[in-house]
Each structure stands twice: as structure tokens, then as C-alpha cells.
């Protein structure tokens, strides 16, 4: 058996950054998926000759390692049963609702946990096989929380980072997880654990103190090494961002700007275009947004023809019961509001249940006067930052939930509590009627913030912290 090639930087994530496509001749090709994470890591991985470990997105499919755009991709196989138990089950029907404040009720099944453990071990083994001596391994997100400890046990020479892309809940919620101790111990295998918000890092440190009794003084956690000493784990916030320059370049393209004008014309050239862009997920507050908009129409505060809500709800986890129910509820609400308020020439709501390429999304951002981000709980919400990046003329208004991680940075948005429907309605009316001068003042400040902390800054800051932590550890 041929020895695997070894890499100085290994990224481990649930999915590889590629989509499987069928070429005209029937052959299978892999195209890079447009994601901020790969954009951020591409130059770093190229310089370090890195590799990316992950699942290809289809059951029982694991080709040999291959290259796409200069990045070595190492597929991890998952069976259909493992996808059902580890991914749809434990990751998305246990951890996801639990970590998002139990907006939906989580399910706890031992066979799901067993599958989660098995799959995490497979990812850890794959990374350990290809990591060079003293390599850096960066693990991503809640699907792989056991991997850091598994890697440390197999390869103590490695420098291990972990980034948690979703919220980490307060201990009173987290404590419901039957395997709460094992997950915390899994994460503590890392040298640096990154979170979106300061509050998330604090929640994790408190969970460590409550469950394990380790000394934890922000941002350091002292973890016993089993030999009478300890090692230091850094747990702190590294708010993720977007490829700002890439979005600005798209927003400057004449054909994208023309498409934005076509979108507004197709909507009947209303005075105000409200826009919501979300995965169809119960954490995003889409129902609250529709309720507020519907009440404004019922009261006559907003009128069809003068205002329209465009709601993009891209499909998500369509085999999970809670998501099927959510889709039914939202589509019934949209149908009722359009049936009540639409005219022959104007809809109240343009509802779009599919995804769009990035160019079309940028055109939508340019066409919208008001961006509605009403998440009930969100790790970050990059849509808010994408909208800001595209507003080259410093116009437009961002209405942003205080429960999204982006609210920590984008303080010049109109911040709202999405559970407060009256407050949400007031913010929507304020946004629609905001003078251009105030729009400019707010948007300039928002754009400055997004520019200062783009996705390249995020990845560089995390990896620099990881190198520093590794040097301190080796110096002791």
C-alpha cells in the first residue's frame, strides 16, 4: 500500500468544498463550491501545501484524493445509514436545536450518538494519516466536536485548532445533552477553540468549570495532561466574515447592476423593497418577519404596490420533520397574505424556495432598500455582512436581530428583538422612511466595520493565535 502524501496544514470539515457535477460526456467532475471558508483558506493552504478532509455530499461515495483549484481534497466515506444517524440525526436533530436555544425540541437517541462517535473517529483517522510531523490541523464545526481529542490522542505532535460556527448555549441548556461531558472533553483536545461571540466562549468556559472543574480564566483553560502538569487551551471569540472584495467586485459589474434594475422593474418599481435571504430554518425568524409585514399591510401602514417583501428561502434538511412542517407553515402564510393583499399587478410577497448563484444574490442585495435579518438565534449570519458589502453607494438599511452574532459588530444597523413584533414593525417602518443622509451615515460605519474584519483577517487571526499557543506549549 502506497504511503499517503503528508501535509503541513490540514483542514477538517463535514463537507469538502466541492459539488459533484455531471459533464456533457457523462463523466463526473468536481466544481469548487462558492463558500467563504474556502476563499479564506485558499491562499493559506496554497502556501502551506495543505489538504482538506471531508465528505463529498453523497452516500457511499469516496473517490481517491484529488485536486481542485490547487487544493488537495481527501474524501471521507459515509454510508446512507450514517448520514441518517450522524448527520440528519445527532448533528441536525440533537445538536442544532439544542445549541440554538431549543427553539425546536432536540431529540436524544443513543444510536445517533454512537454513529456520531464512529464518524468523528473516521474523520480524525483520515486527518491523522495525512498530517505531517508537527502539522497544524484546523477542525470545523459542531458535526466534528470529538475530533480534536481523538487527534490529540493519536498524534500528540500536532497543533490542533477548532472553530465553532454556530452558537454555544448557556450551561442550563447545554446540560440537557446526555453526552455533555464527552463533547466538552472532545473540544478540549484543541489548542485553540474559536467561537463567533464572546458570550459563546464564556458559555463554553462555564461548561468546562461546571463539568470538569478545570481552572478557566478567559481566554485560557488549564487542562491537566495526566502527568502532573497541564496544558493551556485558548477559548475566545473570532467572529467570521466574508470575502468583502469579491462581493464589491460583483456589485460593481454593469450586468449585475442592470439585473438589479430588472428585479425592481419586475416587482412593479415599488418605493420600498424589503428582502429576506435565509436557509429555510426555524432559527431564522422567517415566521416573525412575515407576521410583522402582514400586520403592517393589515393596518394600512404599508400598501401593496408601494412596498413588497422578497423572501428567498433556500431548501434545507428537507428530510427532517421540523423543517417539513416549517415549510408548510411559511408557504401557507405567504399564500394567505398574497390572497388577502395582492392585486392583479402587484404581489405582497415574492416567495422563492430555491437557491441562487452569487451574481443573482448580489443583484438582489442591490435591488433591496431594506435587508431583514430577524434570526431568533444565529452564530453569525453572513447575509447581513454580504448586504453591507454590496451597498457601494452607502444607501440601504440593515434591520438586524440582536440574537445574531453579526449584531456584536454591526451596531449601526437597526437592532431588533424579533420576538417583539411591535418593535420589529416599528423598525421596518423606520427603515422604509429613513432619510438618505441617515442611511449614508449608518451604512458608511457598517461598511468600515466589514472592511476591517473580512474573512482573510478572520483566518489569519485564528491561525496566528494557534501558532502562538503552540509555541507557548512547546516552550514549557
Amino acid at each position: 500500500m502506497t504511503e499517503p502524501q503528508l501535509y503541513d496544514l490540514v483542514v477538517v470539515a463535514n463537507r469538502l468544498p466541492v459539488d459533484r457535477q455531471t459533464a456533457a460526456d457523462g463523466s463526473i467532475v468536481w466544481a469548487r463550491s462558492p463558500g467563504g471558508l474556502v476563499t479564506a483558506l485558499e491562499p493559506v493552504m496554497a502556501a502551506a501545501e495543505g489538504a482538506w478532509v471531508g465528505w463529498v455530499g453523497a452516500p457511499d461515495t469516496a473517490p481517491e484524493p484529488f485536486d481542485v483549484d490547487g487544493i488537495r481534497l481527501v474524501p471521507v466515506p459515509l454510508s446512507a445509514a450514517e448520514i441518517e444517524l450522524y448527520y440528519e440525526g445527532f448533528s441536525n436533530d440533537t445538536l442544532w436545536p439544542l445549541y440554538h436555544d431549543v427553539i425546536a425540541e432536540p431529540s436524544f437517541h443513543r444510536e445517533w450518538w454512537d454513529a456520531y462517535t464512529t464518524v468523528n473517529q473516521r474523520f480524525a483517522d483520515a486527518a491523522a494519516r495525512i498530517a505531517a510531523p508537527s502539522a497544524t490541523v484546523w477542525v470545523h464545526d459542531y458535526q466534528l466536536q470529538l475530533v480534536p481529542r481523538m487527534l490529540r490522542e493519536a498524534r500528540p505532535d500536532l497543533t490542533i485548532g477548532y472553530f465553532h460556527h454556530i452558537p454555544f448555549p448557556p450551561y442550563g441548556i447545554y446540560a440537557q445533552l446526555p453526552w455533555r461531558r464527552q463533547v466538552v472533553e472532545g473540544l478540549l483536545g484543541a489548542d485553540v477553540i474559536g467561537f463567533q461571540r464572546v458570550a459563546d466562549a464564556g458559555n463554553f468556559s462555564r461548561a468546562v468549570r461546571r463539568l470538569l472543574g478545570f481552572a478557566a480564566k478567559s481566554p485560557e483553560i488549564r487542562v491537566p495532561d495526566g502527568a502532573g502538569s497541564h496544558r493551556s487551551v485558548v477559548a475566545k471569540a473570532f467572529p467570521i466574515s466574508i470575502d468583502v472584495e469579491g462581493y464589491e467586485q460583483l456589485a460593481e459589474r454593469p450586468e449585475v447592476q442592470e439585473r438589479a434594475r430588472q428585479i425592481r422593474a419586475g416587482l412593479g418599481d415599488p418605493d420600498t423593497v424589503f428582502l429576506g435571504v435565509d436557509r429555510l430554518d426555524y432559527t431564522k425568524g422567517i415566521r416573525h418577519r412575515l407576521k410583522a409585514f402582514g400586520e403592517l399591510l393589515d393596518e394600512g401602514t404599508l400598501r401593496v404596490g408601494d412596498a413588497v417583501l422578497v423572501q428567498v428561502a433556500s431548501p434545507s434538511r428537507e428530510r427532517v420533520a421540523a423543517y417539513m412542517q416549517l415549510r408548510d407553515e411559511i408557504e401557507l402564510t405567504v399564500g394567505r397574505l398574497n390572497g388577502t393583499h395582492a392585486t392583479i399587478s402587484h404581489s405582497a410577497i415574492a416567495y422563492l424556495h430555491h437557491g441562487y448563484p452569487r451574481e443573482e444574490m448580489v443583484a438582489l442585495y442591490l435591488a433591496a432598500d431594506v435587508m431583514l435579518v430577524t434570526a431568533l438565534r444565529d452564530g453569525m449570519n453572513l447575509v447581513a455582512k454580504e448586504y453591507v458589502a454590496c451597498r457601494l453607494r452607502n444607501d440601504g438599511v440593515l434591520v438586524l436581530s440582536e440574537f445574531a452574532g453579526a449584531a456584536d459588530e454591526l451596531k449601526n444597523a437597526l437592532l431588533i428583538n424579533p420576538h417583539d413584533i411591535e418593535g420589529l414593525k416599528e423598525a421596518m417602518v423606520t427603515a422604509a422612511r429613513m432619510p438618505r443622509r441617515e442611511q449614508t451615515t449608518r451604512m458608511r460605519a457598517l461598511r468600515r466595520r466589514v472592511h476591517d474584519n473580512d474573512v482573510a483577517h478572520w483566518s489569519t487571526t485564528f491561525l496566528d493565535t494557534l501558532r502562538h499557543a503552540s509555541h507557548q506549549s512547546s516552550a514549557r
Side-chain angles (χ1 to χ4, degrees), residues 198 201-202 205-206 209 215-221 233-237:
V198 172
S205 294
R206 280 186 285 276
R209 287 196 296 268
K217 185 176 180 181
S218 180
E220 184 183 10
I221 300 171
V233 174
V234 173
K236 62 179 291 189

Side-chain angles (χ1 to χ4, degrees), residues 93-114:
D93 210 7
T94 300
L95 294 175
W96 181 268
L98 183 73
Y99 282 23
H100 287 84
D101 289 358
V102 197
I103 293 169
E105 184 177 355
S107 300
F108 303 109
H109 297 295
R110 286 168 288 182
E111 61 269 29
W112 290 4
W113 166 253
D114 291 342

Side-chain angles (χ1 to χ4, degrees), residues 303-350:
R303 291 165 42 110
V304 168
D306 297 333
V308 63
L309 170 59
V310 178
Q311 178 61 57
V312 178
S314 56
S316 176
R317 301 167 187 162
E318 295 191 289
R319 300 203 309 177
V320 178
Y323 290 78
M324 291 188 280
Q325 179 182 347
L326 176 67
R327 179 179 178 181
D328 289 343
E329 288 178 18
I330 287 175
E331 291 181 354
L332 281 169
T333 302
V334 169
R336 179 179 60 78
L337 289 172
N338 274 332
T340 301
H341 296 286
T343 66
I344 290 175
S345 54
H346 295 93
S347 292
I349 300 171

